[in-house]
Amino acid sequence: MKKVITYSLPALTLILLVGCNDGVLTPTLETELSTDTGEVSNAAESNSYEVDSTKFDLGTSGSVTEVACTLSNGATSTCYQVTISGFPSDRTELGPFCPQTTSTTAENSGKWFDDGVLYDLTGEFIRNLDLFYGDSSWSLYNKDTGEVNITDTQTACEAAARPDVDAQYNNYCVQCEISYYSGSSGEGISSTYLIPTQPVPRSSIGSVDRGSVGVAFNGVTLDAAAPTEAILSAYTIAAFDDCVGHVNPFAGYHYHGANHGEGTCPAVAFEVDGHGGAFGYAMDGYAIHTMLNENGEEESDLDTCRGHTDDTRGYHYHSAGPGENLFIGCFAGETAQ
Ligand SMILES: [Zn+2]
Ligand SMILES: [Zn+2]
């Protein structure tokens, strides 16, 4: 792996290339003008590492190849073309999502988030939605039988899992089965993404409002924020499983949060120095690590993109909390066009 180290000096920023790739030094040259204080303006410019494509475990139908690409700043570069199967390589099944009845416990149901908090989507939670949201129009269950209204066919899920929810699915717990979208591979919806092989810092931050924010090593896309306003205004709950993932007809199975505590989805090992472990790459090629370190602490020096730099890892991100409907705050690096 090639390591690019930048030393910040008062008058200039000097970049050294250490190591090589198959004996050939990649001509990476980044020159940065110093500010008056001699500090680079963007932490991402301090140092960075090449993407390590071997960290991806994409299952039998996923793949990573190196291709030419054009970055968001118009520069030509090389990218990893990452094709995912749409099914996490470290699991055999998805869900559970919606609780079947108002007495279903956390063990047999998934999650929902609100205002930064990840909740167990239990039958009791469904029963109390009117109180939770302070709106008596919430009623996701049959008051006689206790059965929860669930979109349990492909037609129902597709009518409900879209921005303009079909009115007949107001007051439904929405879930789509991955089996509706299984291709010949028997998995999910295949998608292809381009990730720069070497992150390139950008001068102004990039928005993470749309599309995919990154790809987890297990081959699941980290999606932009779920449109919770549209979901809630239709009196629907777009149920997640315990890994804060769910299925829609467009992206297949995708994540809206990182739930990597002990025994969760999947537990990510801490690094040898106790730092939170990486679980994926953002679309700009910087690694995304868990929110907390082994002492349960969040890093204190994160920038608005939720990134920071250290000597061991270069610039990298730390995910937001599992209920925040967010992974990173913005892109600090150029993405592929
Ligand atoms: Zn979603
Ligand atoms: Zn860190």
Side-chain angles (χ1 to χ4, degrees), residues 275 289 299 302 308 310 313 316-318:
H275 190 271
H289 292 245
E299 304 294 335
L302 299 179
H308 71 162
D310 66 31
R313 287 157 283 262
H316 60 279
Y317 301 110
H318 285 273

Side-chain angles (χ1 to χ4, degrees), residues 19-292:
C20 57
N21 197 356
D22 296 333
V24 181
L25 272 176
T26 310
T28 302
L29 179 65
E30 302 165 59
T31 50
E32 295 296 336
L33 293 174
S34 64
T35 62
D36 289 344
T37 61
E39 289 171 355
V40 289
S41 56
N42 183 339
E45 296 173 20
S46 299
N47 60 23
S48 64
Y49 292 81
E50 278 192 338
V51 169
D52 181 359
S53 65
T54 65
K55 289 189 173 168
F56 284 110
D57 174 11
L58 304 174
T60 49
S61 50
S63 64
V64 183
T65 54
E66 202 170 319
V67 296
C69 61
T70 304
L71 301 184
S72 40
N73 62 359
T76 54
S77 186
T78 54
C79 288
Y80 286 116
Q81 180 174 283
V82 181
T83 298
I84 61 171
S85 67
F87 197 96
S89 62
D90 50 6
R91 289 169 68 189
T92 53
E93 57 182 50
L94 306 177
F97 299 100
C98 298
Q100 291 291 321
T101 73
T102 51
S103 52
T104 300
T105 58
E107 200 181 332
N108 296 310
S109 57
K111 304 281 187 188
W112 180 241
F113 52 40
D114 193 78
D115 203 19
V117 180
L118 188 66
Y119 294 94
D120 287 324
L121 186 60
T122 60
E124 189 183 6
F125 189 90
I126 293 282
R127 204 170 60 233
N128 290 326
L129 279 170
D130 52 347
L131 299 173
F132 188 81
Y133 284 115
D135 181 341
S136 59
S137 297
W138 281 96
S139 177
L140 257 66
Y141 63 100
N142 182 314
K143 291 199 168 54
D144 297 327
T145 63
E147 218 171 298
V148 174
N149 305 332
I150 299 174
T151 56
D152 52 7
T153 65
Q154 183 172 354
T155 305
C157 109
E158 290 180 356
R162 61 185 205 204
D164 55 328
V165 177
D166 187 323
Q168 69 172 304
Y169 296 107
N170 288 358
N171 269 312
Y172 265 74
C173 186
V174 180
Q175 67 179 36
C176 296
E177 301 292 338
I178 196 68
S179 58
Y180 303 153
Y181 308 106
S182 294
S184 54
S185 63
E187 294 180 321
I189 295 178
S190 177
S191 309
T192 297
Y193 301 100
L194 291 175
I195 298 175
T197 56
Q198 169 74 56
V200 177
R202 50 190 296 158
S203 49
S204 60
I205 58 176
S207 166
V208 291
D209 288 350
R210 296 182 68 84
S212 189
V213 174
V215 182
F217 297 148
N218 67 356
V220 176
T221 175
L222 314 179
D223 220 36
T228 49
E229 255 177 60
I231 293 166
L232 295 174
S233 68
Y235 299 101
T236 57
I237 296 291
F240 304 115
D241 63 13
D242 288 353
C243 309
V244 205
H246 62 189
V247 176
N248 74 22
F250 323 104
Y253 183 73
H254 57 281
Y255 290 138
H256 284 292
N259 192 19
H260 289 127
E262 200 170 328
T264 51
C265 293
V268 174
F270 296 107
E271 301 201 337
V272 287
D273 59 357
H275 190 271
F279 62 90
Y281 279 111
M283 287 304 169
D284 58 10
Y286 292 118
I288 306 179
H289 292 245
T290 56
M291 180 173 73
L292 304 176

